[in-house]
Amino acid sequence: MQPSPSPGSDATPFQGAGIRVSLAELIDMRHRVREVPLFSSPHRRSSLVGLHHSKLRGRGVDFDQVRIYQAGDDVRTIDWRVTARTQEPHTKLFHEERERPIYILVEQSPRLFFGSGLAFKSVLAAQAASLVGWAALSHNDRVGGLVFGCGEQHEVKPRRSKQSLLQLLDRLARANVNLNTDQNCDADAFGMALRRAREVLRPGSLAVIVCDERTLSDAAEQQLTLLARHVDLLLIPVFDPLDHALPAAGLLRFAQSGARLELDSHDAAIRQAYRSQGEARTARWRRLADRLRLPLMPLDAQRELIEQLRENLSVQHPGAPR
């Protein structure tokens, strides 16, 4: 993992807009749900509607009623017990499940505690997770999730309750406020979070993954592959432009967990190697999304959240009504 440029000295507390996020800010994200249609509604069809109800697996459909078999009905839905009792063919009718569990896995680690422009990546990740949560709640879905990064995981079981979402946002805000550049984290924190999701989520659920672009490892990719077999996934990797390219700005100092590194950014070979690593990470996410047929919505910490989500939605479903 590459060290990120240090946003300040270790002795200075980091505060200010775009550096830390408060619970009040995450609650206020509910007012922006209408600006981007993440999920479908009776009057508006979302570009992610395919994520929301198309893959009806496991308990993704609910039994409705039994009626007399009619020409054209699927023979696989015949109710043999009723048929045997009445001596007349009957078939089962189903309707789509009106709600589904939406589980938001959001990273808050020192890896995200950096930003070169509009906001720190940790703030953007928290805002994106909050917006998804409020959108899901407004769609009458059950919302829960897990905040992971350093130390213990903070989990909230999915419930169709505003209090459940507020509990998740509170834990997210607390994790954000506690971030600092000296934290030592478990290298497999992402993998452990994904394994937990596999334990608690049933087929037909939607897991939204909001993490640093650099978090994807071989082990995590394997866990994502296993998770995708049972639930729907939405991938939201977060990055900063300086994760992809170094400016030709002379001697640059980096710091992470007490380690120090100096690079001469005038060296074209160093800049090219740095760029190649960034391009490789981006390409890896794209290959994973293509292989598993998952929507991928990368977010740039130098750009406004809603604008990026709109662009990503149009890419996921070209020509969809906006």
Side-chain angles (χ1 to χ4, degrees):
M1 183 186 70
Q2 297 172 326
S4 291
S6 173
S9 68
D10 295 340
T12 303
F14 302 112
Q15 301 295 340
I19 298 177
R20 303 285 189 185
V21 71
S22 67
L23 177 59
E25 291 177 75
L26 297 181
I27 293 175
D28 282 345
M29 291 301 295
R30 72 188 189 277
H31 300 303
R32 308 203 68 184
V33 168
R34 294 183 179 180
E35 297 180 42
V36 52
L38 286 172
F39 302 118
S40 62
S41 69
H43 306 293
R44 195 170 190 181
R45 190 172 177 84
S46 167
S47 304
L48 291 183
V49 67
L51 262 182
H52 203 261
H53 280 310
S54 65
K55 297 180 181 178
L56 299 176
R57 296 180 287 197
R59 289 157 57 189
V61 291
D62 287 334
F63 172 73
D64 189 9
Q65 60 178 307
V66 173
R67 65 160 167 77
I68 295 176
Y69 181 86
Q70 298 177 0
D73 286 342
D74 190 338
V75 296
R76 292 174 296 182
T77 63
I78 290 178
D79 189 322
W80 295 107
R81 290 184 178 180
V82 176
T83 297
R85 186 172 66 249
T86 63
Q87 297 300 303
E88 189 173 11
H90 281 70
T91 186
K92 298 177 182 178
L93 297 182
F94 300 86
H95 62 75
E96 276 191 275
E97 199 175 41
R98 292 188 178 180
E99 62 178 51
R100 77 185 303 187
I102 294 183
Y103 194 80
I104 306 168
L105 291 94
V106 54
E107 180 181 2
Q108 290 291 293
S109 74
R111 186 165 26 218
L112 284 154
F113 194 55
F114 169 74
S116 62
L118 187 62
F120 274 26
K121 293 183 289 182
S122 52
V123 170
L124 182 62
Q127 292 173 340
S130 176
L131 188 68
V132 170
W134 287 114
L137 192 64
S138 69
H139 197 265
N140 293 320
D141 289 304
R142 284 180 281 150
V143 185
L146 186 148
V147 181
F148 69 94
C150 290
E152 62 184 27
Q153 300 173 349
H154 303 284
E155 183 181 14
V156 175
K157 296 293 181 62
R159 297 192 300 272
R160 189 160 57 87
S161 160
K162 182 179 178 180
Q163 292 304 315
S164 178
L165 177 57
L166 289 175
Q167 184 181 3
L168 178 64
L169 297 184
D170 178 65
R171 294 186 176 183
L172 178 54
R174 289 175 182 269
N176 180 270
V177 168
N178 290 328
L179 283 177
N180 65 73
T181 56
D182 287 332
Q183 288 173 303
N184 291 312
C185 300
D186 190 329
D188 192 36
F190 187 31
M192 290 190 293
L194 293 172
R195 284 193 289 272
R196 177 58 183 167
R198 287 178 57 204
E199 293 173 356
V200 301
L201 293 180
R202 63 178 176 79
S205 302
L206 170 61
V208 181
I209 314 295
V210 188
C211 65
D212 190 283
E213 181 187 67
R214 298 173 298 172
T215 304
L216 189 61
S217 63
D218 291 343
E221 188 168 342
Q222 182 180 20
Q223 289 296 324
L224 282 169
T225 301
L226 293 173
L227 185 60
R229 294 178 182 176
H230 305 289
V231 306
D232 295 326
L233 296 178
L234 169 59
L235 306 178
I236 308 180
V238 180
F239 69 93
D240 186 274
L242 282 185
D243 291 332
H244 293 171
L246 288 174
L251 190 63
L252 297 177
R253 293 181 174 85
F254 295 75
Q256 183 177 30
S257 301
R260 299 290 186 270
L261 176 67
E262 291 186 352
L263 290 179
D264 182 4
S265 63
H266 284 315
D267 188 325
I270 290 179
R271 291 202 311 276
Q272 180 55 47
Y274 190 94
R275 181 185 296 274
S276 295
Q277 290 185 17
E279 291 173 349
R281 288 193 298 270
T282 300
R284 184 175 189 176
W285 279 102
R286 173 49 60 193
R287 288 195 303 271
L288 175 66
D290 289 344
R291 177 168 60 85
L292 300 180
R293 297 183 178 181
L294 303 175
L296 177 66
M297 301 174 65
L299 295 179
D300 183 340
Q302 281 196 358
R303 298 183 56 204
E304 202 273 333
L305 173 62
I306 300 296
E307 175 188 356
Q308 293 187 79
L309 289 176
R310 286 173 175 165
E311 291 180 5
N312 277 313
L313 287 172
S314 66
V315 170
Q316 299 298 329
H317 196 82
R322 298 179 63 184

